[in-house]
Amino acid sequence: MEEEAIIESINQSNTQVLLVAFGSPRQECWLVNNIHRLNIDRGLAVGGLFDFASGRIPRAPEWLRKMEGEWLFRLMQEPREKWERYVLGNARFLYRTHCTQIDCE
Protein backbone atom coordinates (compact mmCIF):
# COMPACT_ATOMS: atom_id res chain seq x y z
CA MET A 1 0.00 0.00 0.00
CA GLU A 2 2.80 2.41 0.93
CA GLU A 3 4.67 1.59 -2.28
CA GLU A 4 1.58 2.40 -4.34
CA ALA A 5 1.32 5.80 -2.64
CA ILE A 6 5.01 6.48 -3.27
CA ILE A 7 4.74 5.60 -6.96
CA GLU A 8 1.63 7.74 -7.31
CA SER A 9 3.39 10.64 -5.59
CA ILE A 10 6.41 10.31 -7.90
CA ASN A 11 4.18 10.23 -10.96
CA GLN A 12 2.19 13.28 -9.83
CA SER A 13 5.38 15.26 -9.21
CA ASN A 14 6.25 15.31 -12.93
CA THR A 15 9.85 14.55 -12.05
CA GLN A 16 12.15 13.72 -14.93
CA VAL A 17 15.05 12.14 -13.02
CA LEU A 18 14.48 9.93 -9.97
CA LEU A 19 17.36 9.25 -7.58
CA VAL A 20 16.84 6.06 -5.56
CA ALA A 21 19.03 5.57 -2.49
CA PHE A 22 17.90 2.41 -0.71
CA GLY A 23 21.33 0.78 -0.71
CA SER A 24 22.52 -1.96 -2.98
CA PRO A 25 20.99 -4.22 -4.20
CA ARG A 26 17.61 -3.07 -2.88
CA GLN A 27 17.62 0.16 -4.91
CA GLU A 28 18.45 -1.63 -8.18
CA CYS A 29 15.77 -4.25 -7.56
CA TRP A 30 13.19 -1.58 -6.73
CA LEU A 31 13.96 0.29 -9.95
CA VAL A 32 13.85 -2.86 -12.08
CA ASN A 33 10.54 -3.92 -10.52
CA ASN A 34 8.89 -0.49 -10.75
CA ILE A 35 10.42 1.41 -13.68
CA HIS A 36 7.51 0.43 -15.93
CA ARG A 37 5.09 2.07 -13.47
CA LEU A 38 6.97 5.34 -13.19
CA ASN A 39 6.43 8.35 -15.46
CA ILE A 40 10.08 9.43 -15.45
CA ASP A 41 12.79 9.92 -18.06
CA ARG A 42 15.58 8.38 -15.96
CA GLY A 43 15.88 6.39 -12.76
CA LEU A 44 19.28 6.27 -11.08
CA ALA A 45 20.40 4.07 -8.19
CA VAL A 46 22.70 6.40 -6.24
CA GLY A 47 23.59 4.35 -3.16
CA GLY A 48 25.09 6.50 -0.42
CA LEU A 49 25.01 9.76 -2.38
CA PHE A 50 22.79 11.54 0.15
CA ASP A 51 24.81 10.24 3.11
CA PHE A 52 27.98 11.71 1.59
CA ALA A 53 26.37 14.95 0.42
CA SER A 54 24.84 15.59 3.86
CA GLY A 55 28.10 14.82 5.65
CA ARG A 56 26.56 11.95 7.63
CA ILE A 57 29.26 9.61 6.31
CA PRO A 58 32.71 11.17 5.90
CA ARG A 59 34.57 10.90 2.62
CA ALA A 60 38.08 9.54 2.43
CA PRO A 61 40.95 12.03 2.56
CA GLU A 62 41.67 13.68 -0.79
CA TRP A 63 45.00 11.87 -1.21
CA LEU A 64 43.29 8.48 -0.81
CA ARG A 65 40.53 9.42 -3.26
CA LYS A 66 43.16 10.42 -5.83
CA MET A 67 44.68 6.94 -5.45
CA GLU A 68 41.19 5.44 -5.99
CA GLY A 69 41.23 4.02 -2.49
CA GLU A 70 37.98 5.38 -1.10
CA TRP A 71 36.69 1.82 -0.94
CA LEU A 72 39.47 0.99 1.55
CA PHE A 73 38.51 3.97 3.72
CA ARG A 74 34.86 2.85 3.65
CA LEU A 75 35.91 -0.70 4.56
CA MET A 76 37.81 0.64 7.59
CA GLN A 77 34.84 2.82 8.62
CA GLU A 78 32.18 0.08 8.21
CA PRO A 79 33.94 -3.32 8.20
CA ARG A 80 30.84 -5.45 8.87
CA GLU A 81 28.75 -3.73 6.23
CA LYS A 82 31.44 -3.56 3.55
CA TRP A 83 33.39 -6.84 4.00
CA GLU A 84 31.18 -8.90 1.68
CA ARG A 85 31.00 -6.19 -0.97
CA TYR A 86 34.58 -4.95 -1.09
CA VAL A 87 36.70 -7.92 -0.08
CA LEU A 88 34.74 -10.93 -1.30
CA GLY A 89 32.83 -9.13 -4.06
CA ASN A 90 35.91 -7.51 -5.58
CA ALA A 91 37.78 -10.83 -5.50
CA ARG A 92 34.86 -12.57 -7.25
CA PHE A 93 34.71 -9.82 -9.86
CA LEU A 94 38.44 -10.03 -10.58
CA TYR A 95 38.31 -13.80 -10.82
CA ARG A 96 35.36 -13.73 -13.21
CA THR A 97 36.82 -11.04 -15.45
CA HIS A 98 40.27 -12.62 -15.50
CA CYS A 99 39.09 -16.16 -16.06
CA THR A 100 36.39 -15.38 -18.61
CA GLN A 101 37.59 -14.97 -22.15
CA ILE A 102 35.49 -12.64 -24.29
CA ASP A 103 35.59 -13.04 -28.06
CA CYS A 104 34.63 -9.73 -29.65
CA GLU A 105 35.03 -10.83 -33.28
Side-chain angles (χ1 to χ4, degrees):
M1 188 102 159
E2 181 180 336
E3 188 169 279
E4 294 299 323
I6 291 169
I7 290 171
E8 184 177 327
S9 178
I10 292 167
N11 288 337
Q12 289 177 359
S13 73
N14 294 320
T15 190
Q16 294 176 347
V17 178
L18 178 66
L19 306 178
V20 181
F22 294 154
S24 185
R26 187 170 170 225
Q27 62 198 11
E28 290 84 5
C29 293
W30 191 89
L31 274 172
V32 165
N33 292 332
N34 293 294
I35 194 76
H36 67 283
R37 300 169 60 201
L38 297 164
N39 300 328
I40 59 174
D41 292 334
R42 297 284 182 269
L44 302 171
V46 297
L49 171 70
F50 300 120
D51 291 327
F52 289 117
S54 68
R56 190 180 80 75
I57 295 179
R59 299 259 338 247
E62 184 69 29
W63 64 268
L64 192 54
R65 284 186 281 183
K66 286 182 181 178
M67 294 174 44
E68 299 183 12
E70 188 152 12
W71 68 273
L72 182 58
F73 181 80
R74 298 226 24 230
L75 177 62
M76 292 185 318
Q77 298 295 311
E78 304 174 83
R80 287 185 182 196
E81 292 82 4
K82 303 302 177 201
W83 177 262
E84 172 78 22
R85 174 193 243 174
Y86 292 142
V87 176
L88 301 179
N90 287 353
R92 280 188 215 114
F93 173 79
L94 291 172
Y95 174 78
R96 289 176 183 155
T97 57
H98 178 73
C99 295
T100 304
Q101 189 174 29
I102 300 172
D103 184 9
C104 297
E105 294 180 31

